[in-house]
Amino acid sequence: MEENNKKTQIQEMDRGVYDIKNKDEFSYKTDKGLTKEVVETISKEKNEPEWMRDFRLKALDIYNEIEMPTWGPDLSALNMDDIVTYVKPKGKLAESWDEVPEEIKNTFDLLGIPEAEKESLAGVGAQYDSEVVYHSIKQELVEQGVIYTDMETALNEYEDIVKEYFMTCVPVHDHKFAALHGAVWSGGSFVYVPEGVHVDIPLQSYFRLNSPGAGQFEHTMIIVGKNASLHFIEGCSAPKYNLTNLHAGCVELFVKEGANLRYSTIENWSKNMMNLNTKKALVDKDGTIEWVSGSFGSKVSMLYPTSVLRGENAKSEFTGVSFAGAGQDLDTGAKVIHAAKNTSSTINSKSISKDGGNATYRGLVKVNANAHGSKSTVSCESLMLDELSKSDTIPVIDIATDKVEMSHEAKIGKISDEAIFYLMSRGISEEEAKAMIVRGFVEPISKELPLEYAVEMNNLITLELEGSIG
Amino acid sequence: MKFNELNKIPVRTGKKQQVNDISLDMSDFNIEKFNNFTLEARETKGLKVKELDSSLLKSLKYAVGKELLNEADTNFTNGILLEIEEDAVIGGNIILHFKMNEDNKTLIDNIVIKAEKNSKANVIIKYVSDDNLEGYHNGVLRIFAKEDANIKVSKINLLGKKVKNFDSNMSEIEKSANVDFISMDLGAQSTITNYEAILNSEKASADASAVYVGSGSEKIDMNYIMTIRGEKSEANMDVKGALRDSAVKNFKGTLDFKKGAKKSKGAEEEYCMLLSEKSRSRSVPLLLCEEDDVSGEHAAASGGIDENKLFYLMSRGISYDEARVLIINASFNPIVDKIGCSKVEDEVLDYIRKILA
């Protein structure tokens, strides 16, 4: 009995700092539900140009037309009428950490954001609920013409660029939640790296959703110019409330000729979050997109970063791990569209499920008729830690040319008893042995992450495992 | 007439990917009698051929489509029950031969194979037709393999290129029994086939192997599902094919490990050779798992024909076309060999040669 109690305790406490709730304070909040008025109010509050307001209204119409997905995880817990679309935190956008309101600052302090900035980042943005509260970028990058700011500022100051690119990569017709995003988006980061500029140290943005019942719809737009390079890191979290929260962000990445972009994410949402995020990259000739993705929290996740290789010799690499625990349904994967000659892609996905969690890999590799000489390799591995859990692999491979090399592999299984026995015979406890094996399993991903993130991911795995073995 | 929602996959995915199911339009026709059927068996001891008994028509979870299954169960042109008695080992092959022609252009065959305990047999079901016949074939096959039975069934489709072909198959495999299912999908204008192996008991084993060749504007849609509930069971799928012209193929293969399938293994392999720029191959290798103590893997690959091999053969004086056929047939051989009747194997290889020429 005692053992059981201990187990529950750990599970309820497991997220430590991520579960700290702040008082729900805001300067403006829209009414519950989604109507034309709500969308117009958001646009007005933000002083947006007319084209953006019209864009939002058009997206709202499309949102109302498109049906809910007829596949994937159960989204019935989602009631749009209960989700507050726009929550504006008190205070204005700060450029120095000291100016950030105390409570918000404390949260980010606990999450280690400012230290990370001091030590290894070229710039940081932090979003609290719907708005960006903090943004900074190293001076030398500004001098080279790198722009790193929040989307609202970008819309004011770089309207032409935003207008040219906004939701051209992820069209609002893509799916219901892309349309929703188009109607109510708020906050997010804008990065522009001019031709030939190499940003050596990563830029980072951190999203945190604090208001109960709120939706976060941040829009991230990154344009990496010709022969330029960038590493961008995105972190996400939210405390746990009993209301269902919705996250329907959108990430649009434009990788120009010969450019290189690495996009790393650790998503650690609270376990009541519906994470319906859309991420997509358009890659031009000789460009490279690298995705590194870790999905931990959330109740439901549907996340399939997509690479459209539209220029010759464009490349994409996807490395992802997801960890589904009790009550979680993580439906994640990657998509690649080969739309030009000699393009190549690699997908390497690992998933872990335990305590009745449901981990699904869902992916697509599509080779268009003109994509002669393309190559694609996909590898998915799933590890199940107990018999309560579920793990599915749902890949689609669609090939429309003969000049192609494509291979797909997937494996599913549990930790071998022999491996545990071996480690235990060397004096390691069963718990530690399992944790070691799981860490070894995700090693290809953690080694792709910057050190602090790799450490964070290892800690998350340890926390997740503590509850399950006892 | 239009058939909707054929060959549904066990879990749905995005509509845009066009793999959830398939619809097929076809002109109206009347179902007429089919009289061109022969059964050939060298040994008949322990084999009973009977009229179909409707009590054996267990409802199928998948099949190609509900309507088609219903048509075959209530309105079949040929209903056949093959019973293989307990401990019977039938030497030689049991060959069921359906030949479609102008007088026999609609065939709805409903076959049940009941293999009693510890029995062994090799059944070959072959479909041929006149070259230009605009025919309709809807076949349903149910295989019940009792404890320790060892049954091999080959379905050989050598139909002409104007026949619409639907084929639903199911096997229920009991303790320590094995069903080896082989499918040659070579003919027809459109071929929609389904196979479900149900492994509910301990140590059951299922093999499914298929070869397909698509040509012209042929459509091939294959939906293979192996549902494993029994402990220490084994399920294997091996599919190879080639597509020329503007042929389109969807292969959907599912290994579904249900709770309780402890220590079971599953493997799925598919290789598709694309012989033309306009051909199109879609593969959906699904792996569903709700039991941790299993090992499952799948692999799918597609590509053009190996140019090194082609070059080698051509440097030895073999023509391009002949070299291509040799390479393709070589990759199909391990599966074709499983049929176990050299006469039929030769017919298959000749047919492949004919479509690739």
Side-chain angles (χ1 to χ4, degrees):
Chain A
M1 247 344 250
E2 253 185 54
E3 274 293 295
N4 279 342
N5 282 342
K6 191 184 160 217
K7 220 166 129 175
T8 334
Q9 275 273 313
I10 292 168
Q11 278 185 335
E12 307 234 309
M13 294 164 45
D14 63 357
R15 285 166 27 95
V17 56
Y18 301 101
D19 268 342
I20 295 167
K21 294 177 202 174
N22 302 357
K23 216 170 134 201
D24 182 25
E25 286 187 89
F26 48 87
S27 55
Y28 181 78
K29 218 174 180 176
T30 48
D31 289 336
K32 284 179 173 187
L34 191 56
T35 59
K36 205 175 157 195
E37 288 68 41
V38 170
V39 172
E40 273 171 349
T41 317
I42 295 172
S43 193
K44 205 172 142 205
E45 270 292 307
K46 290 173 169 291
N47 276 325
E48 284 177 351
E50 205 174 312
W51 67 267
M52 184 54 90
R53 196 199 61 195
D54 295 344
F55 184 95
R56 286 178 184 276
L57 292 172
K58 203 182 92 199
L60 178 67
D61 288 343
I62 294 164
Y63 166 78
N64 287 326
E65 276 166 28
I66 301 179
E67 56 175 290
M68 289 285 273
T70 50
W71 48 274
D74 178 18
L75 298 176
S76 58
L78 195 65
N79 181 354
M80 278 318 295
D81 294 335
D82 284 344
I83 305 246
V84 182
T85 349
Y86 179 62
V87 185
K88 190 175 180 182
K90 4 181 258 185
K92 291 202 172 84
L93 178 62
E95 284 194 350
S96 126
W97 191 248
D98 297 333
E99 292 169 28
V100 177
E102 203 60 31
E103 270 170 12
I104 298 179
K105 197 159 80 180
N106 283 343
T107 317
F108 285 117
D109 273 339
L110 284 167
L111 291 168
I113 304 304
E115 281 99 79
E117 181 193 3
K118 272 176 227 148
E119 281 162 23
S120 61
L121 298 168
V124 157
Q127 175 159 349
Y128 194 85
D129 287 333
S130 299
E131 295 286 339
V132 175
V133 292
Y134 173 71
H135 241 292
S136 90
I137 177 168
K138 289 210 165 137
Q139 194 54 37
E140 60 259 39
L141 290 177
V142 177
E143 282 159 13
Q144 285 179 290
V146 176
I147 305 167
Y148 179 35
T149 180
D150 61 286
M151 273 307 287
E152 277 74 15
T153 309
L155 187 55
N156 282 325
E157 291 175 17
Y158 312 101
E159 191 180 332
D160 293 347
I161 305 180
V162 176
K163 195 172 176 180
E164 184 185 340
Y165 289 97
F166 191 78
M167 293 199 87
T168 53
C169 177
V170 180
V172 284
H173 289 96
D174 224 28
H175 55 85
K176 191 166 180 81
F177 297 97
L180 173 66
H181 175 90
V184 300
W185 75 271
S186 175
S189 295
F190 173 83
V191 183
Y192 179 84
V193 184
E195 189 175 330
V197 174
H198 297 281
V199 182
D200 298 329
I201 27 182
L203 290 177
Q204 188 193 17
S205 74
Y206 208 95
F207 302 105
R208 179 168 172 89
L209 196 46
N210 192 62
S211 258
Q216 183 160 353
F217 305 94
E218 87 286 350
H219 193 92
T220 303
M221 181 185 283
I222 299 178
I223 300 156
V224 186
K226 210 171 161 182
N227 298 321
S229 72
L230 173 71
H231 183 186
F232 190 84
I233 307 172
E234 177 198 70
C236 311
S237 81
K240 186 173 170 96
Y241 288 104
N242 288 328
L243 281 164
T244 299
N245 279 9
L246 170 66
H247 174 240
C250 177
V251 174
E252 296 189 286
L253 310 176
F254 300 87
V255 181
K256 301 288 178 185
E257 210 178 305
N260 187 316
L261 172 61
R262 170 179 276 220
Y263 193 91
S264 310
T265 316
I266 293 285
E267 300 203 21
N268 178 30
W269 299 106
S270 64
K271 298 205 172 148
N272 65 331
M273 179 67 86
M274 298 289 221
N275 183 28
L276 311 171
N277 215 349
T278 312
K279 297 181 178 180
K280 199 165 170 188
L282 294 179
V283 189
D284 291 339
K285 195 178 164 198
D286 299 319
T288 305
I289 175 79
E290 291 171 66
W291 303 92
V292 180
S293 173
S295 298
F296 287 86
S298 84
K299 177 183 168 63
V300 167
S301 272
M302 288 173 85
L303 176 61
Y304 324 98
T306 306
S307 313
V308 182
L309 307 174
R310 61 176 183 181
E312 273 178 45
N313 300 321
K315 276 193 183 66
S316 80
E317 265 176 53
F318 174 89
T319 315
V321 62
S322 64
F323 196 131
Q328 287 183 272
D329 193 344
L330 303 189
D331 198 296
T332 59
K335 294 186 194 175
V336 185
I337 321 274
H338 290 262
K341 280 185 188 167
N342 300 323
T343 48
S344 63
S345 66
T346 312
I347 295 175
N348 189 355
S349 155
K350 307 240 181 189
S351 69
I352 303 163
S353 51
K354 67 153 189 80
D355 285 348
N358 191 353
T360 302
Y361 170 83
R362 194 184 296 268
L364 169 70
V365 173
K366 188 170 177 179
V367 180
N368 289 353
N370 61 343
H372 294 174
S374 292
K375 287 181 184 162
S376 171
T377 314
V378 181
S379 155
C380 313
E381 275 182 79
S382 313
L383 189 63
M384 296 176 73
L385 298 183
D386 55 54
E387 54 181 36
L388 300 167
S389 307
K390 265 191 83 173
S391 179
D392 295 345
T393 311
I394 311 175
V396 176
I397 302 152
D398 187 350
I399 308 228
T401 174
D402 57 334
K403 295 171 187 66
V404 64
E405 276 173 47
M406 153 75 213
S407 74
H408 172 103
E409 265 176 35
K411 278 196 188 106
I412 210 157
K414 67 163 196 166
I415 298 181
S416 90
D417 293 337
E418 287 83 9
I420 294 195
F421 178 79
Y422 174 81
L423 289 168
M424 285 172 75
S425 75
R426 292 290 177 276
I428 295 163
S429 71
E430 186 180 347
E431 193 171 323
E432 182 51 27
K434 276 198 179 176
M436 277 171 83
I437 292 167
V438 173
R439 279 198 288 266
F441 178 75
V442 299
E443 206 254 357
I445 284 116
S446 53
K447 80 173 183 219
E448 295 296 325
L449 291 168
L451 185 65
E452 321 80 70
Y453 274 79
V455 171
E456 184 187 331
M457 192 170 88
N458 271 342
N459 287 341
L460 280 169
I461 287 170
T462 310
L463 279 169
E464 294 282 357
L465 285 174
E466 263 176 16
S468 71
I469 305 158
Chain B
M1 187 188 317
K2 187 171 183 176
F3 291 110
N4 290 317
E5 298 199 347
L6 302 177
N7 262 358
K8 276 203 247 182
I9 52 175
V11 288
R12 284 177 71 86
T13 191
K15 265 189 206 158
K16 283 179 203 157
Q17 294 162 15
Q18 299 174 37
V19 294
N20 284 325
D21 48 46
I22 185 167
S23 299
L24 203 80
D25 271 318
M26 55 190 294
S27 46
D28 284 331
F29 59 90
N30 290 321
I31 292 164
E32 288 152 24
K33 280 214 161 92
F34 186 90
N35 292 318
N36 212 357
F37 163 70
T38 49
L39 188 142
E40 184 189 322
R42 200 181 72 204
E43 280 180 29
T44 47
K45 196 170 166 269
L47 169 71
K48 278 185 190 153
V49 184
K50 295 179 176 171
E51 281 290 302
L52 190 63
D53 171 0
S54 63
S55 70
L56 289 164
L57 299 180
K58 185 187 146 85
S59 87
L60 304 186
K61 187 173 172 199
Y62 292 98
V64 167
K66 287 271 174 284
E67 268 174 84
L68 287 158
L69 178 65
N70 189 40
E71 178 186 73
D73 282 352
T74 54
N75 200 15
F76 53 79
T77 57
N78 299 67
I80 300 156
L81 167 63
L82 296 182
E83 264 183 12
I84 297 138
E85 288 172 3
E86 202 171 318
D87 298 321
V89 176
I90 314 237
N93 306 302
I94 305 162
I95 305 177
L96 284 73
H97 192 101
F98 295 93
K99 187 169 188 324
M100 299 176 75
N101 55 27
E102 270 309 319
D103 298 328
N104 298 283
K105 56 183 179 186
T106 51
L107 168 62
I108 302 172
D109 55 310
N110 198 332
I111 303 171
V112 173
I113 299 173
K114 234 177 110 186
E116 297 297 341
K117 275 187 188 168
N118 204 25
S119 61
K120 193 169 187 251
N122 186 19
V123 182
I124 298 169
I125 304 167
K126 202 175 86 182
Y127 305 96
V128 295
S129 79
D130 290 349
D131 281 351
N132 287 314
L133 181 80
E134 294 187 15
Y136 169 80
H137 168 236
N138 175 16
V140 174
L141 167 70
R142 292 171 173 89
I143 305 166
F144 298 95
K146 303 279 177 201
E147 229 176 288
D148 294 310
N150 199 333
I151 296 298
K152 184 147 83 177
V153 180
S154 305
K155 275 219 160 177
I156 318 279
N157 153 17
L158 306 175
L159 293 163
K161 288 291 178 187
K162 286 185 177 166
V163 178
K164 306 265 186 194
N165 179 34
F166 301 95
D167 203 37
S168 307
N169 305 280
M170 183 279 293
S171 65
E172 208 174 75
I173 308 164
E174 293 191 6
K175 194 177 162 193
S176 305
N178 169 265
V179 171
D180 195 350
F181 178 79
I182 298 142
S183 175
M184 297 284 144
D185 288 307
L186 304 173
Q189 179 187 46
S190 60
T191 289
I192 303 185
T193 60
N194 163 262
Y195 174 55
E196 189 197 9
I198 303 166
L199 296 88
N200 280 343
S201 322
E202 226 184 302
K203 291 185 185 155
S205 96
D207 289 287
S209 327
V211 165
Y212 61 83
V213 180
S215 62
S217 57
E218 190 177 340
K219 264 190 197 153
I220 302 175
D221 195 278
M222 304 160 84
N223 191 20
Y224 282 33
I225 297 139
M226 293 192 166
T227 314
I228 306 140
R229 283 194 181 81
E231 287 186 24
K232 296 178 194 152
S233 292
E234 241 186 278
N236 292 303
M237 265 188 240
D238 186 7
V239 176
K240 290 201 168 73
L243 298 173
R244 59 173 291 179
D245 310 327
S246 52
V248 178
K249 174 238 52 173
N250 296 339
F251 175 74
K252 308 177 275 204
T254 306
L255 289 173
D256 191 355
F257 293 97
K258 299 289 188 192
K259 198 162 291 272
K262 286 187 190 305
K263 306 243 181 305
S264 289
K265 285 182 192 161
E268 178 185 339
E269 219 186 296
E270 195 213 342
Y271 186 72
C272 175
M273 268 178 284
L274 294 138
L275 307 177
S276 135
E277 268 181 44
K278 287 180 193 144
S279 56
R280 183 156 199 173
S281 155
R282 293 195 190 94
S283 307
V284 191
L286 298 177
L287 202 49
L288 311 176
C289 189
E290 44 183 47
E291 172 61 57
D292 65 328
D293 196 0
V294 299
S295 87
E297 52 185 73
H298 66 215
S302 331
I305 204 158
D306 189 333
E307 286 183 8
N308 293 324
K309 286 182 192 161
L310 209 55
F311 178 79
Y312 176 81
L313 288 171
M314 286 168 75
S315 75
R316 292 290 179 276
I318 296 168
S319 74
Y320 172 81
D321 287 332
E322 185 58 17
R324 205 169 68 153
V325 171
L326 273 175
I327 293 168
I328 294 167
N329 272 348
S331 89
F332 293 165
N333 261 337
I335 298 178
V336 176
D337 277 351
K338 288 177 87 177
I339 299 170
C341 168
S342 52
K343 203 179 105 208
V344 177
E345 286 167 18
D346 289 344
E347 269 180 86
V348 165
L349 293 174
D350 284 346
Y351 195 98
I352 295 173
R353 220 165 268 137
K354 199 173 95 191
I355 5 180
L356 292 176

